Coordinates of all heavy atoms in Angstrom, one line a residue:
D3 N -59.6 -62.3 8.1 CA -58.3 -62.5 8.7 C -58.0 -64.0 8.7 O -59.0 -64.8 8.9 CB -58.3 -62.0 10.2 CG -58.4 -60.5 10.2 OD1 -58.0 -59.8 9.2 OD2 -58.9 -59.9 11.2
V14 N -50.2 -67.8 16.3 CA -49.6 -67.6 15.0 C -50.6 -68.0 13.9 O -51.5 -68.8 14.1 CB -48.3 -68.4 14.8 CG1 -47.3 -68.0 15.9 CG2 -48.5 -69.9 14.8
N38 N -32.9 -86.1 24.3 CA -34.0 -87.0 24.9 C -33.5 -87.7 26.1 O -34.2 -87.8 27.1 CB -34.4 -88.0 23.8 CG -35.4 -87.5 22.8 OD1 -36.0 -86.4 23.0 ND2 -35.6 -88.2 21.8
V65 N -46.3 -101.5 9.3 CA -46.3 -100.5 10.4 C -45.9 -99.1 9.8 O -45.0 -99.0 9.1 CB -45.4 -100.8 11.6 CG1 -45.4 -99.8 12.7 CG2 -45.7 -102.2 12.2
N95 N -40.1 -83.5 8.9 CA -38.9 -82.7 8.9 C -37.8 -83.5 8.2 O -37.4 -84.6 8.6 CB -38.5 -82.4 10.4 CG -37.3 -81.5 10.5 OD1 -36.2 -82.0 10.5 ND2 -37.5 -80.2 10.5
G110 N -28.0 -101.5 10.1 CA -28.2 -102.6 9.2 C -29.7 -102.9 8.9 O -30.0 -103.9 8.4
Q123 N -51.1 -84.8 8.6 CA -52.5 -84.3 8.3 C -52.9 -84.8 6.9 O -54.1 -84.9 6.6 CB -52.6 -82.8 8.3 CG -52.2 -82.2 9.7 CD -52.1 -80.7 9.6 OE1 -52.8 -79.9 10.2 NE2 -51.1 -80.2 8.8
H131 N -54.4 -99.6 5.0 CA -53.1 -100.1 4.5 C -52.2 -100.6 5.6 O -51.4 -101.5 5.4 CB -52.4 -98.9 3.8 CG -51.2 -99.3 3.0 ND1 -51.3 -100.1 1.9 CD2 -49.9 -99.0 3.2 CE1 -50.0 -100.3 1.4 NE2 -49.2 -99.6 2.1
T197 N -27.3 -77.5 22.9 CA -27.6 -77.2 21.5 C -27.4 -75.8 21.1 O -27.6 -75.4 20.0 CB -29.0 -77.6 21.1 OG1 -30.0 -76.8 21.8 CG2 -29.3 -79.1 21.5
Q198 N -27.1 -74.9 22.1 CA -27.0 -73.5 21.9 C -28.4 -72.9 21.4 O -28.4 -71.9 20.7 CB -25.9 -73.1 20.9 CG -24.5 -73.3 21.5 CD -24.1 -74.7 21.6 OE1 -24.1 -75.5 20.6 NE2 -23.7 -75.2 22.8
G221 N -61.2 -88.6 23.5 CA -62.4 -88.2 22.8 C -62.1 -87.8 21.3 O -62.9 -88.1 20.4
G238 N -46.6 -91.1 36.4 CA -47.6 -90.2 37.0 C -48.4 -89.3 36.1 O -48.9 -88.3 36.5
H244 N -52.0 -93.4 24.4 CA -53.4 -93.6 23.9 C -53.5 -94.7 22.9 O -52.6 -94.7 22.0 CB -54.0 -92.3 23.4 CG -54.4 -91.3 24.4 ND1 -53.5 -90.6 25.2 CD2 -55.6 -90.9 24.8 CE1 -54.1 -89.8 26.0 NE2 -55.4 -89.9 25.8

Side-chain angles (χ1 to χ4, degrees):
D3 292 337
V14 301
N38 276 349
V65 179
N95 183 272
Q123 301 171 115
H131 193 64
T197 70
Q198 289 73 56
H244 282 71

